[in-house]
Amino acid sequence: MSSSKTVYAVAGSNPWNRQVFESQISNFPGHWIFIDSSDDLTLKWVSQVNPRYIFFLHWSHIVPEEIVNTYECVCFHMTDVPYGRGGSPLQNLIVRGHRETKLTALRMVPKLDAGPVYLKRDLSLEGSTAEEVFIRSSKLSASMIQTIIEKEIEPDPQKGDPVVFQRRRPEQSEISEVKSLEALFDFIRMLDAEGYPPAFIEEGGFRFEFRRASRYDRRIEATVTILPTDQ
């Protein structure tokens, strides 16, 4: 690594994060390092690498406070903050009827999603799976990273009253009180991504899990996995 190159780090915990890093982000000017394990993200390691920024793409782990306080850490949150601070933003947006949102790049601070904002970009929530939206989000994050490093953007404080989302629990993936085919399709697709508990129902000693849903005029077709509830 040339000492003249600025070092940047990107942390991502999903396959689509690494794919967008390899295909887009790693080609930006500078020396780029990808981290996919929270065990590697230590203050000792970060101090040795000394990155200009650490960018977090869909990172589901707690970042040590000493790293957040010492280095410029940037995360990408799928809401128009301060609306929608907190967990499970995609699912919380869809169950509230949103079809589009803002992807926000914000500086990380000890308080969750409360940091100042670098920039926001429009993001569609449409798609047949949550994973499709996450991939779209990762690609958009890459272009936002390019803008941040090229323009050395200074983040501005958030404005307005916060609306905080609660992280969804696995049992909330059970299908209940869905009143239309459109709502059922949204419920299935918003949970259809690697690492998420899929939409399910339990009946007669079996658990029926739904993925890869398609919406038609008067029906939904989906892949169903059937498991015994006692396993």
Side-chain angles (χ1 to χ4, degrees):
M1 180 178 70
S2 171
S3 60
S4 63
K5 285 187 176 181
T6 303
V7 178
Y8 305 97
V10 176
S13 55
N14 297 101
W16 53 85
N17 301 145
R18 180 176 284 278
Q19 193 280 329
V20 78
F21 174 83
E22 293 175 351
S23 64
Q24 293 181 248
I25 297 171
S26 63
N27 296 316
F28 297 157
H31 180 79
W32 292 85
I33 301 170
F34 188 80
I35 309 160
D36 61 5
S37 171
S38 59
D39 294 337
D40 296 333
L41 191 67
T42 64
L43 182 60
K44 180 180 179 180
W45 180 85
V46 175
S47 62
Q48 291 172 343
V49 172
N50 194 29
R52 171 64 182 86
Y53 297 98
I54 308 174
F55 296 101
F56 291 85
L57 303 178
H58 203 82
W59 188 252
S60 56
H61 310 286
I62 298 296
V63 180
E65 192 167 315
E66 59 266 25
I67 294 177
V68 171
N69 290 337
T70 306
Y71 294 89
E72 194 157 356
C73 298
V74 183
C75 71
F76 296 86
H77 191 68
M78 203 180 289
T79 73
D80 190 2
V81 295
Y83 176 80
R85 292 181 186 176
S88 309
L90 173 59
Q91 292 78 22
N92 277 301
L93 287 168
I94 289 178
V95 297
R96 287 166 171 78
H98 294 277
R99 314 307 294 186
E100 56 185 37
T101 185
K102 297 284 187 183
L103 184 63
T104 300
L106 53 86
R107 181 160 186 173
M108 296 170 67
V109 296
K111 187 174 181 180
L112 186 63
D113 303 324
V117 172
Y118 295 91
L119 70 164
K120 298 179 180 182
R121 292 288 184 268
D122 292 332
L123 176 67
S124 170
L125 299 176
E126 301 293 348
S128 58
T129 66
E131 188 162 316
E132 182 180 332
V133 182
F134 288 138
I135 292 171
R136 183 185 305 134
S137 171
S138 291
K139 292 178 179 179
L140 182 56
S141 297
S143 68
M144 294 168 75
I145 287 172
Q146 185 174 23
T147 300
I148 290 170
I149 65 172
E150 287 179 351
K151 297 186 177 182
E152 290 280 333
I153 296 173
E154 287 294 323
D156 294 320
Q158 296 182 28
K159 299 177 181 178
D161 296 327
V163 174
V164 178
F165 289 165
Q166 299 300 314
R167 183 174 297 278
R168 289 177 62 86
R169 302 181 305 277
E171 60 267 24
Q172 290 179 285
S173 292
E174 184 170 13
I175 299 169
S176 63
E177 299 182 7
V178 177
K179 301 190 183 304
S180 69
L181 275 178
E182 188 64 34
L184 179 58
F185 173 68
D186 280 341
F187 193 87
I188 295 171
R189 75 181 182 93
M190 77 180 192
L191 297 165
D192 193 354
E194 182 176 320
Y196 283 79
F200 73 93
I201 57 174
E202 291 186 350
E203 181 67 32
F206 295 97
R207 179 185 176 104
F208 301 79
E209 297 182 346
F210 300 87
R211 297 179 177 86
R212 292 181 285 280
S214 298
R215 172 79 164 93
Y216 298 95
D217 182 36
R218 296 182 60 82
R219 74 183 194 277
I220 293 171
E221 295 184 3
T223 299
V224 181
T225 301
I226 305 173
L227 305 165
T229 55
D230 59 358
Q231 75 170 15

